[in-house]
Amino acid sequence: MTVKILIRYGEIALKGKNRNMFEAALRRNLIRAVHGTGTAITRIHGRFLAEGPADKQQEIISRLRKVFGVVSISPAATAALGMEEIQSAASQLVQTLPRSLATFKVEARRAKKTFPLTSPEINSQIGAFLLSSYPHLSVDVHQPDFRLEIEIGHREAFLYTGRYAGPGGLPVGVTGKALLLLSGGIDSPVAGWMAMKRGLSIEGLHFHSFPFTGRRSQEKARDLCQKLATYSGKMTLHMINVAAIQQHIKESCPEPMGIIILRRMMVRLAEAVAANRRLQAIVTGESLGQVASQTLESLEVINAATNILILRPLLAMDKHEIVSLAEEIGSYNISIQPFEDCCTLFLPRHPLTRPRLKAIEKAETALDIPRLIKDAISGLESVRVPSL
Ligand code: ATP
Ligand code: MG
C-alpha cells in the first residue's frame, strides 16, 4: 500500500531564477528528509508529491513537517480523472471520517485546465452526490466541520480533508552559510533554528573549557546539534577549548571586563573558523537586554572585535517566546539539563553593563591576542553530527 502526500510550499513572492533555486533546494531537502523510508519525491502542479509505504505514513509526515519551505502537507486519496472515479473516491474518504463531522464544503481546484468541468461545477456535483449518499451530512460553506478539497492534477485527482502545518520559511541552503555560536543554553539553538528557517545552512561552534568544564558540556552541544540536524540534515560541529584564553584574561585583565573580553575573543575565533569554512556570517543567541553582556553598548563593543556580519535572530524576542519556541523545536529539554558553561566559570561578580570600547581595547593590550587565537584554533575539533 502506498500513501501519497501533497506538499505545499510558499514564498510566492519569489520569482524567476530565485524560484527555480528555491524549488531545487526544497526538492533536495525533501529527499534528504525522507531518506530511508522508501519514499519518492516528485514535482506536480506547483507542489511536490511524496509517495511512500502506507505503514510509514506517520513517520513520513513528521519528517516532512520539519523541512523549511514547506507550508503544509496533506495525505491524499487519488482518483482517475473522471467524475465517477472522483465521486467514488470522495465517498470512500467520507466513510473514514467520524460521523460527528456533519457539515461540509467541497473546494475544488484545477491544475489541468482542460478538465471538462469548472471548479464550481465540480463542487456542486460532488456536494450533491455526497448529500444524496450520506443523509447525516449537510452543507455549510462558512464554517464546515470538514472541507473536502479536490485538486485536479494533470494525471490524477487528489482528495483530502485536512492539512498539517509545515514550518514555512525558506529551504535550508538557499540564502547562504553561517556559523552558529552554540552554547548549552536555551537561546542559541533557537537562534540556529531561526537562521535555518530563513534558508541559512548552519555549522555549529561550541567553546568549552576542558578540564575546567566536564565532557558533558561538549556532549550537550552535540545533542543540541543533533536536534537541529533533524531540521537541516547532518550538521558540522566545531569545538574550541578556551580554557587558556580564560586563564589569561583572568590573570591580566580587570575582573568586571572578563566576560566582554571573552566574548570578543569568541567572535575573533568564530571569524577565523568562518573564514576557513567559507561561512558568511555568525549567528548568536543574544537578545537585547537579557543579561549584562547584552546591552547595546556591549553588543557594539563585541561587534567592534570583528568584521564579520553578526546575526542575532532573537534580538527582539522575550524569554518566554524563546522558551516556547525551544519547546516546539525540541531543544528545550536538552538545554535545561544541568551543565557548566565555560562563561559561568570565571563569571565576574559585577560584570560591566556599559563597557567603553577604548577602555576594553586598553585592557586587551595585556593579551597576546594573535598568539591566543592561533593556539586555540590549532586545537579545533570538528565532528559531523547526524540527525536524531
Ligand atoms: P544561550 O542560552 O544561548 O547560552 P544566554 O542567554 O545564556 O544564551 P550568553 O551566555 O550571554 O546568553 O551568550 C550569548 C550568546 O553567546 C549565546 O547565545 C551564544 O550564541 C554565544 N555563546 C555563549 N557561550 C557560548 C559557548 N560556550 N559556546 C559557543 N557560543 C557561546
Ligand atoms: Mg549562555
Side-chain angles (χ1 to χ4, degrees):
M1 279 283 281
T2 302
V3 60
K4 298 193 185 191
I5 302 170
L6 285 173
I7 304 166
R8 297 177 199 84
Y9 53 90
E11 297 289 333
I12 35 180
L14 288 172
K15 300 228 170 69
K17 249 204 205 138
N18 277 344
R19 177 148 208 125
N20 293 339
M21 197 176 69
F22 178 106
E23 284 168 355
L26 182 56
R27 183 194 167 88
R28 270 196 307 278
N29 295 351
L30 288 168
I31 290 171
R32 198 207 52 234
V34 296
H35 181 78
T37 61
T39 305
I41 303 285
T42 48
R43 247 330 278 293
I44 51 157
H45 65 270
R47 311 206 183 296
F48 283 99
L49 178 66
E51 291 175 82
D55 60 342
K56 295 216 173 87
Q57 174 165 338
Q58 284 317 314
E59 167 79 16
I60 299 166
I61 288 175
S62 102
R63 293 205 202 174
L64 293 174
R65 292 186 68 186
K66 293 197 171 92
V67 178
F68 291 116
V70 170
V71 169
S72 65
I73 63 174
S74 297
T78 52
L81 290 177
M83 282 311 279
E84 256 173 49
E85 288 87 345
I86 292 172
Q87 266 177 14
S88 95
S91 174
Q92 278 176 33
L93 196 59
V94 165
Q95 282 169 38
T96 66
L97 300 175
R99 284 180 70 88
S100 56
L101 301 181
T103 61
F104 75 103
K105 176 183 183 185
V106 181
E107 285 178 0
R109 217 168 290 117
R110 301 179 317 159
K112 186 187 168 88
K113 299 294 181 196
T114 53
F115 191 77
L117 274 67
T118 65
S119 299
E121 284 166 352
I122 300 170
N123 291 344
S124 62
Q125 276 203 21
I126 299 294
F129 165 76
L130 291 177
L131 285 174
S132 67
S133 320
Y134 298 96
H136 74 284
L137 290 181
S138 62
V139 169
D140 180 345
V141 293
H142 301 297
Q143 275 197 309
D145 293 338
F146 72 93
R147 285 166 206 274
L148 171 63
E149 298 188 62
I150 302 173
E151 290 187 20
I152 307 295
H154 295 285
R155 296 187 173 178
E156 57 190 344
F158 298 89
L159 298 85
Y160 51 90
T161 55
R163 295 175 180 222
Y164 296 87
L170 298 169
V172 169
V174 297
T175 54
K177 295 181 183 176
L179 183 64
L180 170 67
L181 300 198
L182 183 65
S183 70
I186 294 168
D187 301 336
S188 42
V190 176
W193 186 89
M194 287 181 71
M196 291 196 301
K197 183 171 178 182
R198 289 317 295 169
L200 285 174
S201 152
I202 296 286
E203 296 188 9
L205 173 57
H206 177 70
F207 300 107
H208 63 88
S209 305
F210 189 79
F212 302 112
T213 50
R215 284 282 173 215
R216 187 66 201 111
S217 104
Q218 290 165 69
E219 280 162 24
K220 200 173 177 187
R222 205 179 175 284
D223 293 347
L224 286 169
C225 248
Q226 210 165 38
K227 183 51 85 178
L228 287 178
T230 56
Y231 296 89
S232 67
K234 265 190 189 143
M235 248 181 94
T236 300
L237 174 64
H238 308 282
M239 279 175 282
I240 295 183
N241 191 332
V242 290
I245 291 178
Q246 287 182 290
Q247 290 256 304
H248 276 90
I249 295 174
K250 193 177 162 69
E251 282 158 19
S252 320
C253 304
E255 194 195 78
M257 295 183 177
I259 284 283
I260 194 89
I261 292 178
L262 177 61
R263 285 270 182 270
R264 282 163 59 87
M265 292 303 287
M266 284 182 174
V267 294
R268 290 185 184 108
L269 291 165
E271 182 174 10
V273 173
N276 185 257
R277 301 285 304 167
R278 296 173 186 279
L279 312 174
Q280 297 156 265
I282 294 174
V283 176
T284 78
E286 288 158 317
S287 149
L288 197 56
Q290 203 186 83
V291 290
S293 59
Q294 298 176 11
T295 59
L296 268 193
E297 289 82 357
S298 294
L299 297 181
E300 186 180 16
V301 171
I302 293 168
N303 278 11
T306 176
N307 285 319
I308 195 169
L309 175 65
I310 303 181
L311 303 175
R312 300 181 168 98
L314 309 187
L315 192 84
M317 284 173 78
D318 293 345
K319 191 73 187 188
H320 74 90
E321 293 171 315
I322 299 171
V323 165
S324 55
L325 200 46
E327 284 169 338
E328 218 174 283
I329 295 165
S331 59
Y332 184 74
N333 284 334
I334 305 172
S335 293
I336 57 170
Q337 286 166 24
F339 85 117
E340 312 137 297
D341 183 28
C342 68
C343 300
T344 53
L345 265 191
F346 300 92
L347 202 64
R349 277 179 302 257
H350 303 289
L352 283 186
T353 53
R354 297 180 190 284
R356 286 186 18 252
L357 184 58
K358 282 256 152 29
I360 298 291
E361 283 173 344
K362 187 154 172 257
E364 284 178 349
T365 59
L367 302 171
D368 183 351
I369 292 178
R371 164 108 245 138
L372 290 174
I373 299 278
K374 199 160 164 268
D375 287 351
I377 292 283
S378 72
L380 177 87
E381 289 176 87
S382 305
V383 287
R384 288 283 282 165
V385 182
S387 65
L388 269 181

